[in-house]
Amino acid sequence: MKLITINSNSTGNSYALDSGTEILLIEAGCKMAETKRAIDFRLKDVVGCLVSHCHGDHAKYATEYAKFGVKVYCNQDVADKKQFPFDSYKVVKSGKTFSVGSFRVVPIEMFHDVPNYGYLIQHKQCGTIFFASDTYKMGAYIKGVDHWLIEANYDDKILKANIEDGKIDRAQANRLMVSHMSIDNTIHYLKECEAEKSKTITLCHLSERNSNSAMFSERVKREFGVPCYIARKGLVVELNREVI
């Protein structure tokens, strides 16, 4: 199984899980043309797309994906705000398992300023993957995760310095702190979930101004002793069931 980062920042977020025969997309924040290039134009292998919430950098192109024949799985808020073609989407419920091709998926409620899901994904090739973005805390501790694709948006010290330097206004900073995960919160959550037993940790949706990717990666590696990656455009991570 390969995790492909199509893009991961405030301009657009989209990822792909590629088993070799099936592709599950996560998020629809990138144009279909960009997504098709990232998956070698194997649109016929795409079994669906999971969308977390309605914000444009995660869902802007969800309707476009649907028009290309990609079924979109989302919460009711996304469905209400998008004009999906008939039968091209499915509203899924928090805690209710569903299948997308060979992938088994459980939506989990997150904490953002709009309704938002994280997704626990299971596949025989890689075990379990947990995706969570655009949330300031988690509603459940999940142990036994093999691979993490999790937000670490900002660092408190960098954010404070940017406020003092006038690079970010306080209202924007306040909104950030109640809608996104800091690196400290991410590490605390991973500790509670015994992430030292996992195979990979990929940090996503880092703020351009309020993060430090090298420092974030080093902190996670030091804390958990697990390979840590930063989700950047073009990153490919091998997701295996066992550590090689």
Side-chain angles (χ1 to χ4, degrees), residues 21-173:
T21 57
E22 293 180 326
I23 297 171
L24 177 65
L25 300 176
I26 304 173
E27 305 289 50
C30 298
K31 291 181 178 180
M32 177 54 78
E34 185 177 0
T35 296
K36 286 195 293 184
R37 284 195 297 270
I39 61 173
D40 295 327
F41 299 94
R42 292 165 48 214
L43 193 58
K44 64 179 177 57
D45 293 336
V46 175
V47 292
C49 178
L50 310 177
V51 172
S52 62
H53 65 288
C54 68
H55 288 160
D57 57 329
H58 297 262
K60 183 176 182 179
Y61 299 101
T63 304
E64 181 187 16
Y65 285 22
K67 289 178 180 177
F68 272 86
V70 176
K71 191 156 189 174
V72 175
Y73 297 81
C74 60
N75 60 35
Q76 187 65 57
D77 185 59
V78 173
D80 289 343
K81 291 175 179 174
K82 296 291 179 181
Q83 295 182 340
F84 287 112
F86 178 73
D87 203 30
S88 64
Y89 71 99
K90 181 177 180 179
V91 173
V92 294
K93 303 294 186 181
S94 179
K96 301 293 185 180
T97 304
F98 61 96
S99 295
V100 186
S102 298
F103 297 87
R104 297 273 288 170
V105 184
V106 183
I108 298 173
E109 202 77 44
M110 296 287 109
F111 294 84
H112 197 40
D113 49 10
V114 295
N116 182 27
Y117 283 161
Y119 290 102
L120 183 65
I121 304 162
Q122 191 275 336
H123 192 278
K124 64 182 180 180
Q125 285 189 6
C126 60
T128 55
I129 306 158
F130 185 49
F131 166 75
S133 183
D134 288 52
T135 186
Y136 72 94
K137 67 175 183 178
M138 300 292 183
Y141 293 114
I142 304 172
K143 296 182 180 181
V145 172
D146 294 294
H147 305 282
W148 300 88
L149 177 57
I150 187 168
E151 177 182 69
N153 185 263
Y154 68 96
D155 175 76
D156 288 303
K157 292 180 181 177
I158 297 174
L159 179 61
K160 182 179 179 181
N162 284 337
I163 295 170
E164 293 172 350
D165 292 343
K167 295 179 181 178
I168 182 171
D169 65 68
R170 191 166 295 277
Q172 185 180 5

